[in-house]
Amino acid sequence: MKFTQAVAAAALLVGAAPVNAAAKSSEIIGEAKIERDEWGIAHISGRTDADAVYGMIYAQAEDDFPRIERNYLVNLGRLAEAEGESALWQDLRQRLWIDPAVLNADYAKSPAWLRKLMDAWAAGLNAYLADHPEVKPRVLTHFEPWMALSFTEGSIGGDIERVPVSQVEAFYGARKVAMTDDELGRRLKEPAGSNGIAIAPSRTAGGHALLLINPHTSFYFRAEQQVTSGEGLNAYGAATWGQFFIYQGFNQNAGWMHTTTGSDRVDEFAETVVQQPGKAPAYKVGDAVKPFTTQTVTLKVRQPDGSLAERSFTTYASEHGPVVREEGGKWIAYGLMNRPVPALEQSFLRTKTSDLASFLKVAGLQANSSNNTLFADTKGEIAYLHPQFVPIRDNSLDWRRPVDGSKPAARWQGLHPVSSLPNVLNPANGWVFNVNNAPWTAAGADSPKRDAFPRYMDEAGQNAREAHARAVLTGRSDFTLEKLMAAAYDPALPAFDRLLPPLFAAHAAAPDTKRDGPIALLRSWDHKWALNSTATSLAVGFAEALWARVVKIDDSDEESLWERMNNRITDGDRLAALDDAVNRLVSDFGSWQVQWSSLNRYQRNDGAITQTFDDAKPSTPIPFASGNWGSLASFGAARYPGTKRMYGTSGNSFVAVVEFGPRVRARAVSIGGTSADPASPHFGDQVDRYASGNLREVWFYPEDLKAHIVSTKVLRRMR
């Protein structure tokens, strides 16, 4: 569409702005404008923050209402109303913490400014549904403002999702249920994490701070948007579907990138149950015997004929948290952050911060439990911030396992002050990073010292991406926006620096001519991914087969699976894993020399939340590999029933690089495109840029956006 045509189309849309059926009266109380650029990205503006929120969520619903609804079905504990019995126990797990009556009360007690935003959020979704009667929600036909408090952090995989659903079913269903391979960590999957890098002016060619924003999530997990208001809001970046704040992004002064933390943010407490005749179950704390708090939770479950049946459960909670399972005769209570109002406040307010001091002030709400944060601003400040919700605990206890809840020493003793956390503020070395690793290498020699902090500050240790990030940052002072973008797609796979030498030694000790060719190929490889590389295909197959063997090892020590792949595997297993990789390639492709481009693919066939992959349908080769093997650009791919190729479903989802000069400049890309509608031109228009790492320019300022507007819509908020 040429610009002259776009203006005409925009005028028509403005003139046709609907007075939606959701309005209670004809009084106009606000107005939001949605301008979409040539990539379909929504740039929303309003006079007030509430106006902007109204337009923001309306635009999200235009792009992918099913994902918005599903997120709230999950977070409200109502997924079984759509999916039936298979989601029952997941819903019950959620409802151990999420109580609609409590959230209603929390809404009523929220600050007036936050209630206005929640009101606008619900009104925007209801307006969208009223304006689009062809859209048929599975369950949620009307949204209430308090519902926004059920989903407040924006993370992929919230703290509640760490509780094994199988064991909730076992406890409250009064039967034995085996834990799944996923729950036991026995299935190879892409790390649910991210990359964040902040570089100070001293390390950049232009003398301006730089920020890499590179979340690794399941694909299509967030919308790319810009949200602006006359009250100081001007945030651009990735918003999790259904939320009214930019979760990872930047404004005209500062930027923030969240990465999944390895800090211990949830704990299990083994409660000593006391059964007294004629009384409800109780538990011991010191010399006291306390009754468990009980609650009746009633869930609706869709039946095969479409009707809804009700299932009711009596749930239990101790002072440490809800009971989620039983182990060795003890009831296991689960403690985690459950502070929805401060969490929603913190998530929104940080998008309006202007520098490190204001960002730290918002962090003082201490309602971020699951994320590290990388920060940069126009003043040249950079920082690594540890999660702010970190309970103070007795460091002599082993918090990696259930602690004895009957001991008063096992109680949480408030929260660590933000100033006492392993943060890094403006380090002398000029850079900070986090790739879901421990903070002890966040800033090179200027990193926090492990021995200065309690053990529970980190449980993740290091990973293959940690070595890679240090390598691309160390010793450089010439970073530009483009060079940071290139670093984010650096092709090294450092895991193989450790995994391959023992394999070569094993082959030398027990030579077999059938392995000579594959060993020679791997020996000559530079440990970098590339589309035309046959060694990448063989190496990844070997590593996956090695992983499958190491997860079967019954090893009770505390080494991570990554460490066990190097330290706990035998030479015989290494050689057998190579044989498995060779045999799989030969079986699927007729040769063990298969180019990576033939194996590693992106495919999106329809708008379904869960894709069905098909080798016979078009797909796009992706050069980068799994973050498990140290690739900073992450693509978590696997084979699926009936496929020989591997198809990605997680990893790089939104990527942005930002330069904080006098005028902020940014480049970005989103996986696939902005729309979930296969008929939309924006269903897959970013795939080639995504695959090549050629991020597009971001139109942040109105004067820059003006020439790229393809459509404009004005929404009127009615009382």
Side-chain angles (χ1 to χ4, degrees):
M1 179 181 290
K2 294 181 180 178
F3 180 59
T4 53
Q5 294 172 307
V7 171
L12 287 171
L13 284 168
V14 171
V19 177
N20 65 74
K24 298 177 183 176
S25 75
S26 59
E27 180 186 357
I28 298 174
I29 61 172
E31 191 172 271
K33 181 166 63 175
I34 302 172
E35 298 174 303
R36 291 189 182 269
D37 64 27
E38 68 265 51
W39 298 98
I41 294 160
H43 302 256
I44 303 103
S45 57
R47 182 178 61 83
T48 66
D49 287 350
D51 289 340
V53 163
Y54 182 89
M56 178 187 190
I57 200 64
Y58 192 104
Q60 284 186 28
E62 289 182 316
D63 289 334
D64 202 338
F65 177 79
R67 275 188 167 76
I68 294 175
E69 184 185 23
R70 191 180 195 283
N71 279 346
Y72 283 91
L73 291 178
V74 168
N75 284 281
L76 290 167
R78 297 181 61 181
L79 189 61
E81 293 179 42
E83 298 188 357
E85 192 77 19
S86 63
L88 171 66
W89 301 105
Q90 178 179 335
D91 280 356
L92 181 60
R93 177 183 68 176
Q94 193 73 13
R95 291 290 298 278
L96 294 175
W97 283 272
I98 301 300
D99 183 338
V102 173
L103 293 187
N104 258 300
D106 285 342
Y107 164 79
K109 294 182 292 187
S110 297
W113 68 266
L114 187 60
R115 289 201 306 275
K116 288 180 181 178
L117 300 188
M118 289 188 276
D119 291 345
W121 170 85
L125 287 170
N126 293 329
Y128 169 80
L129 291 175
D131 295 343
H132 297 83
E134 74 282 3
V135 174
K136 305 298 182 185
R138 301 170 75 190
V139 174
L140 299 177
T141 58
H142 185 78
F143 289 81
E144 297 289 342
W146 62 266
M147 292 178 177
L149 290 170
S150 70
F151 188 30
T152 55
E153 263 206 294
S155 307
I156 183 165
D159 291 346
I160 293 175
E161 293 184 24
R162 296 164 67 92
V163 176
V165 171
S166 66
Q167 299 313 291
V168 173
E169 178 181 358
F171 185 82
Y172 289 104
R175 56 180 175 269
K176 289 187 176 181
V177 181
M179 290 181 70
T180 67
D181 284 346
D182 273 348
E183 292 170 342
L184 292 167
R186 291 177 178 169
R187 188 175 69 85
L188 179 60
K189 56 185 178 179
E190 196 61 15
S194 306
N195 299 334
I197 296 174
I199 303 176
S202 62
R203 295 286 183 178
T204 67
H208 307 136
L210 296 170
L211 181 67
L212 169 67
I213 299 171
N214 182 198
H216 296 165
T217 67
S218 54
F219 289 168
Y220 328 116
F221 186 70
R222 298 193 175 105
E224 184 176 348
Q225 296 184 300
Q226 182 177 16
V227 195
T228 308
S229 82
E231 295 181 331
L233 178 65
N234 187 10
Y236 188 107
T240 305
W241 293 109
Q243 295 185 324
F244 59 74
F245 52 87
I246 296 296
Y247 180 65
Q248 292 155 320
F250 60 96
N251 58 36
Q252 67 272 33
N253 296 306
W256 54 96
M257 168 60 207
H258 301 303
T259 62
T260 301
T261 187
S263 175
D264 178 8
R265 60 194 191 267
V266 299
D267 288 313
E268 292 185 314
F269 301 83
E271 308 292 14
T272 300
V273 182
V274 178
Q275 299 285 3
Q276 303 173 93
K279 294 184 178 181
Y283 64 100
K284 293 183 63 176
V285 178
D287 295 329
V289 175
K290 300 183 176 184
F292 284 101
T293 301
T294 61
Q295 183 178 5
T296 299
V297 173
T298 299
L299 302 173
K300 294 180 180 180
V301 184
R302 185 165 298 278
Q303 302 302 295
D305 64 1
S307 64
L308 293 175
E310 289 190 348
R311 298 279 299 276
S312 292
F313 302 88
T314 298
T315 63
Y316 299 90
S318 73
E319 65 179 53
H320 302 114
V323 175
V324 300
R325 63 188 178 90
E326 183 177 3
E327 181 180 302
K330 305 275 189 175
W331 287 11
I332 307 300
Y334 210 82
L336 52 76
M337 185 188 86
N338 189 17
R339 307 179 67 212
V341 173
L344 192 55
E345 287 182 283
Q346 185 169 346
S347 292
F348 182 81
L349 289 174
R350 64 179 166 235
T351 70
K352 299 181 73 171
T353 56
S354 59
D355 56 15
L356 184 55
S358 58
F359 198 90
L360 287 169
K361 182 177 180 180
V362 172
L365 288 164
Q366 292 186 278
N368 165 29
S369 70
S370 61
N371 298 296
N372 311 308
T373 303
L374 284 303
F375 176 90
D377 65 22
T378 54
K379 293 181 178 179
E381 300 172 302
I382 63 170
Y384 161 87
L385 301 178
H386 212 57
Q388 293 85 55
F389 183 91
V390 182
I392 299 171
R393 309 164 174 103
D394 185 332
N395 197 43
S396 68
L397 300 179
D398 184 357
W399 294 91
R400 294 168 297 188
R401 298 181 175 86
V403 296
D404 186 347
S406 69
K407 295 182 177 180
R411 286 190 176 112
W412 286 354
Q413 303 296 323
L415 299 178
H416 281 273
V418 174
S419 59
S420 72
L421 299 171
N423 301 320
V424 182
L425 310 181
N426 297 316
N429 74 309
W431 50 258
V432 287
F433 78 93
N434 187 261
V435 291
N436 314 120
N437 58 301
W440 322 127
T441 57
D446 298 307
S447 303
K449 307 306 178 189
R450 184 199 312 260
D451 294 344
F453 296 92
R455 291 177 299 173
Y456 53 74
M457 284 295 179
D458 181 76
E459 294 184 330
Q462 304 305 339
N463 59 44
R465 281 179 292 132
E466 183 268 343
H468 196 173
R470 281 191 292 113
V472 300
L473 289 168
T474 301
R476 294 187 61 178
S477 301
D478 63 342
F479 276 104
T480 63
L481 197 71
E482 286 70 25
K483 288 181 179 178
L484 179 57
M485 184 171 68
Y489 287 85
D490 183 85
L493 295 173
F496 294 102
D497 297 345
R498 297 182 66 185
L499 292 178
L500 290 182
L503 172 66
F504 300 153
H507 177 64
D512 189 325
T513 55
K514 72 178 182 182
R515 299 190 185 103
D516 287 347
I519 290 290
L521 177 64
L522 294 175
R523 280 189 181 277
S524 64
W525 181 44
D526 60 4
H527 299 186
K528 295 180 180 180
W529 48 252
L531 285 176
N532 64 354
S533 170
T534 57
T536 304
S537 301
L538 181 60
V540 168
F542 161 70
E544 290 177 348
L546 196 63
W547 183 287
R549 279 173 165 72
V550 78
V551 295
K552 297 176 182 177
I553 298 175
D554 183 14
D555 194 339
S556 60
D557 70 17
E558 295 305 322
E559 279 191 322
S560 68
L561 197 58
W562 164 246
E563 291 297 330
R564 285 160 59 193
M565 286 184 72
N566 291 282
N567 303 335
R568 300 294 190 215
I569 204 76
T570 68
D571 283 351
D573 283 330
R574 291 185 174 92
L575 295 172
L578 178 63
D579 293 343
D580 287 349
V582 168
N583 294 338
R584 182 63 182 263
L585 290 170
V586 170
S587 174
D588 287 348
F589 297 96
S591 170
W592 54 266
Q593 298 183 74
V594 178
Q595 289 194 352
W596 187 232
S597 61
S598 298
L599 189 61
N600 200 50
R601 312 287 289 196
Y602 168 87
Q603 186 179 81
R604 192 182 193 188
N605 295 316
D606 51 45
I609 291 177
T610 301
Q611 290 287 292
T612 299
F613 298 105
D614 188 340
D615 285 343
K617 293 182 178 180
S619 61
T620 302
I622 301 296
F624 40 97
S626 169
N628 284 311
W629 320 129
S631 184
L632 292 178
S634 167
F635 191 74
R639 295 174 180 85
Y640 290 84
T643 76
K644 296 177 180 179
R645 288 175 161 175
M646 297 163 54
Y647 295 97
T649 57
S650 64
N652 274 22
S653 52
F654 172 72
V655 188
V657 287
V658 191
E659 181 177 25
F660 292 96
R663 282 174 57 87
V664 172
R665 182 185 168 219
R667 296 180 66 173
V669 72
S670 290
I671 178 68
T674 60
S675 176
D677 180 2
S680 167
H682 307 301
F683 181 71
D685 57 343
Q686 297 188 53
V687 172
D688 290 342
R689 284 183 175 269
Y690 172 86
S692 65
N694 182 21
L695 280 56
R696 49 180 173 68
E697 290 286 341
V698 167
W699 313 121
F700 183 73
Y701 294 97
E703 57 269 31
D704 297 328
L705 173 64
K706 184 177 180 181
H708 300 276
I709 296 173
V710 172
S711 69
T712 300
K713 180 180 292 185
V714 174
L715 304 171
R716 297 185 177 93
R717 291 178 62 207
M718 316 299 289
R719 190 179 302 279

